[in-house]
Amino acid sequence: MTNHNSARTIVLIGLMTTVIAGCTPPETGDRYVGLTAMASPQSQEILRRHSVYFATDSSRLSDSEREALAIFLRTSASSPNARIRVLGHADERASDTYNLALSARRSDAVADYLQSIAQSSTTVERSYFGERAPAALGSNQASWQKNRRVEVVVQDYAVQVPSCPEFNVQTGTNMRNATLDGLGCANATNLARMVANPADLAPDRPVLPSDIGAGDAPQTVLAIERYRTGKVIELKDGGVSQ
């Protein structure tokens, strides 16, 4: 009886050893640690604002406002791709027609000054609203003072470089012939650093041929749109040579 039990125990141990051995992956060389990095350069819109104030019934820029404008421009529109909008306003006194004309003169005064001190390629757009968009509600001196203004908005874009894994880590021997997982992130990082105008990667901003200035502008626009929407044509058979 004891002999039968011993034999049965030996058989069970053998079976368990076989099962465990079957679950253990075969030794194929050094362990490969894959680096997975799905990334693409993104563009982030940056808006900076500044208000210029005027005396009653005046479109003259004071010396203090000129100095403040110069500092704002120097610190906010350093990129050659930055766009500047000036929005003229007036308080509620006088007629709507008069206030529209006054806000237009204020807008022109600020835009002309900015254009004179900005880079030659900087675009300054002008708009005016009269009394229709007050900064403060109320029929008093404090509200009127806040509404006699020009709002300056600097619009720019910055590329966000993808955060890639550490490519210098020891990955071992790639015995399974896996793809270089981190290569896509490296390419995306290089592309982000080569983009001439970060606004081209902004998904909500249309790209026009006039934005490019290249010899074949329409094709360049289409290429940017394909990149944005992910409609890039894949290479046949994954790009494997036949």
Side-chain angles (χ1 to χ4, degrees):
M1 190 71 176
T2 302
N3 293 336
H4 287 294
N5 288 336
S6 299
R8 184 178 300 171
T9 300
I10 293 173
V11 171
L12 288 175
I13 292 174
L15 288 174
M16 290 177 64
T17 302
T18 302
V19 171
I20 293 174
C23 295
T24 303
E27 292 294 331
T28 57
D30 296 338
R31 184 171 63 90
Y32 174 75
V33 180
L35 295 176
T36 302
M38 299 298 291
S40 62
Q42 303 292 328
S43 182
Q44 179 182 8
E45 184 183 30
I46 300 174
L47 295 177
R48 298 183 177 91
R49 301 177 182 273
H50 176 77
S51 295
V52 181
Y53 296 98
F54 294 83
T56 300
D57 196 23
S58 173
S59 59
R60 176 183 173 277
L61 273 173
S62 66
D63 292 339
S64 60
E65 292 291 0
R66 286 174 179 269
E67 183 180 356
L69 262 177
I71 295 173
F72 171 72
L73 183 65
R74 185 168 62 249
T75 57
S76 302
S78 57
S79 168
N81 299 311
R83 304 178 68 178
I84 303 174
R85 290 192 64 195
V86 294
L87 316 173
H89 301 274
D91 62 42
E92 64 181 355
R93 295 173 293 177
S95 67
D96 182 57
T97 301
Y98 183 86
N99 286 334
L100 277 174
L102 177 59
S103 64
R105 293 196 299 272
R106 288 171 174 168
S107 177
D108 288 340
V110 173
D112 290 343
Y113 178 69
L114 288 174
Q115 196 73 71
S116 69
I117 62 175
Q119 301 182 46
S120 58
S121 59
T122 302
T123 302
V124 180
E125 301 175 2
R126 312 169 188 221
S127 301
Y128 52 93
F129 301 92
E131 62 187 75
R132 301 174 185 176
L137 299 177
S139 298
N140 51 64
Q141 290 293 339
S143 297
W144 295 334
Q145 183 178 14
K146 293 179 181 178
N147 293 333
R148 298 192 301 266
R149 74 200 191 279
V150 167
E151 295 173 347
V152 182
V153 181
V154 174
Q155 180 192 45
D156 202 357
Y157 290 86
V159 172
Q160 295 176 312
V161 178
S163 178
C164 298
E166 176 56 62
F167 294 114
N168 295 326
V169 298
Q170 181 62 39
T171 58
T173 304
N174 186 2
M175 297 299 293
R176 57 186 175 88
N177 198 28
T179 57
L180 298 177
D181 302 330
L183 185 59
C185 190
N187 286 341
T189 299
N190 291 333
L191 175 61
R193 292 170 176 167
M194 291 189 299
V195 171
N197 187 351
D200 292 340
L201 296 181
D204 297 327
R205 177 181 180 274
V207 179
L208 303 175
S210 57
D211 294 331
I212 306 301
D216 194 359
Q219 289 300 321
T220 306
V221 171
L222 293 175
I224 293 174
E225 289 297 333
R226 286 197 300 270
Y227 179 81
R228 285 178 177 171
T229 58
K231 297 179 180 179
V232 179
I233 300 176
E234 297 292 340
L235 296 176
K236 184 179 180 181
D237 299 322
V240 178
S241 300
Q242 300 296 324

